[in-house]
Amino acid sequence: MAVVSFLLGLIGSLGFLLCGMKFMSNGVQKSAGERLQRALGMVAGNRFAGLLTGLAITMIIQSSGATTVMVVSFVNAGLLSLAQSVGVTFGANIGTTVTAWIVSLFGFNFKISAFAIPVFGAGYFLTMMKNANSRNMGEAIMGFGMLFLGLSGLSDLFRIDPASLGWLQDIQHMGFVSYIVGFLIGIFITALMHSSSAFTAIVITLAFNKVVTWEMSAIMTYGSNIGSTIDAIIAAAGTTADAKRAALVHVLFNIFGTVLVVVFFRPLLNFV
């Protein structure tokens, strides 16, 4: 029964995510396609402005996954070019680090799903208006809410209690092997939870309680950076070639960045 419940939750969450993408893409394209494209072109045409845009959006919604999914959706709808999407994607990767500071300073009480239901409701009421432009924008807002619900559902489905990871303490004395294991754990658990922010909260909690060492927590965070690309990969399914390339930019950026810090693992830790 538990397996059936899990599979139904997984199917439902993925359905919300992908359907939300479709609604948002179609609604935005129909209601403000040309105007929004010009606005986004002005912002994202400059790589630094695009980077700041991605940074600001991710800081507000605290989910680089959601930002990246939106970018892929806009590229798929023809509202952003592949070149314009790159700066926004890079900014999202920087913006998501703000969550780690919020977690370390204030705890992890923010839930992305808190936005989902009111956003969806607001979008639905807009679809009831007579003005066609308002209805189309309402459809886009509903898609935005569904996207949040999908990401939140996937995160809740794979929720992990930090106390259940106490066995990590036993594998930290295996030398280089322990780092490989920690790195793979970071990739796997983040991919399952669909939230690097949630996994960051777990790692910080484990480090605070001295369950894992400083080095182990760092290598797990590096792995999480790769695991967080799962949302972009899912969002790219069934999209245009450029949308797939936009998702690939996100994946390669995270992989290359992670490889770089792993190569300079010790010097970086000493610097920090």
Side-chain angles (χ1 to χ4, degrees):
M1 189 64 184
V3 175
V4 174
S5 177
F6 172 82
L7 289 175
L8 290 176
L10 181 62
I11 292 170
S13 297
L14 287 174
F16 269 119
L17 178 66
L18 298 175
C19 186
M21 264 191 66
K22 183 177 180 180
F23 268 47
M24 186 171 64
S25 177
N26 291 342
V28 169
Q29 196 169 18
K30 286 186 290 185
S31 64
E34 291 184 6
R35 293 194 302 274
L36 183 61
Q37 189 171 19
R38 286 197 297 269
L40 287 173
M42 292 174 61
V43 173
N46 182 299
R47 69 188 71 178
F48 297 106
L51 187 144
L52 291 174
T53 301
L55 174 66
I57 292 173
T58 306
M59 285 176 61
I60 293 170
I61 65 177
Q62 295 195 23
S63 174
S64 60
T67 303
T68 306
V69 168
M70 284 188 283
V71 168
V72 172
S73 178
F74 286 158
V75 173
N76 186 58
L79 300 174
L80 273 179
S81 70
L82 176 61
Q84 290 172 333
S85 72
V86 172
V88 181
T89 300
F90 288 177
N93 278 280
I94 299 174
T96 192
T97 62
V98 173
T99 306
W101 285 104
I102 293 173
V103 170
S104 62
L105 295 174
F106 305 109
F108 193 74
N109 297 317
F110 178 85
K111 280 184 68 67
I112 193 173
S113 58
F115 280 112
I117 295 177
V119 166
F120 184 86
Y124 177 74
F125 285 114
L126 279 175
T127 62
M128 298 173 66
M129 294 187 174
K130 294 181 179 179
N131 185 281
N133 196 52
S134 297
R135 291 199 301 271
N136 292 330
M137 185 55 69
E139 181 181 341
I141 294 173
M142 285 174 63
F144 194 55
M146 291 176 72
L147 187 153
F148 276 153
L149 278 173
L151 289 174
S152 176
L154 289 171
S155 180
D156 291 341
L157 200 62
F158 295 100
R159 187 174 296 279
I160 295 173
D161 184 2
S164 67
L165 298 177
W167 51 270
L168 283 172
Q169 204 164 22
D170 301 326
I171 68 169
Q172 293 182 90
H173 310 291
M174 299 166 60
F176 184 72
V177 174
S178 63
Y179 291 151
I180 295 176
V181 173
F183 187 73
L184 293 175
I185 287 171
I187 295 175
F188 182 69
I189 294 182
T190 303
L192 285 179
M193 297 179 72
H194 290 262
S195 175
S196 58
S197 298
F199 185 71
T200 298
I202 290 176
V203 172
I204 291 174
T205 302
L206 293 172
F208 178 78
N209 293 320
K210 299 181 179 179
V211 175
V212 295
T213 63
W214 151 235
E215 292 84 358
M216 190 66 167
S217 62
I219 202 70
M220 289 167 67
T221 302
Y222 295 162
S224 173
N225 200 42
I226 295 179
S228 65
T229 62
I230 186 68
D231 291 320
I233 294 171
I234 292 174
T239 58
T240 63
D242 271 351
K244 288 183 172 68
R245 292 184 184 111
L248 184 60
V249 166
H250 173 59
V251 173
L252 293 178
F253 178 82
N254 282 28
I255 290 175
F256 287 147
T258 301
V259 169
L260 186 63
V261 296
V262 167
V263 169
F264 297 100
F265 182 59
R266 285 295 174 185
L268 180 61
L269 292 190
N270 292 333
F271 171 75
V272 172

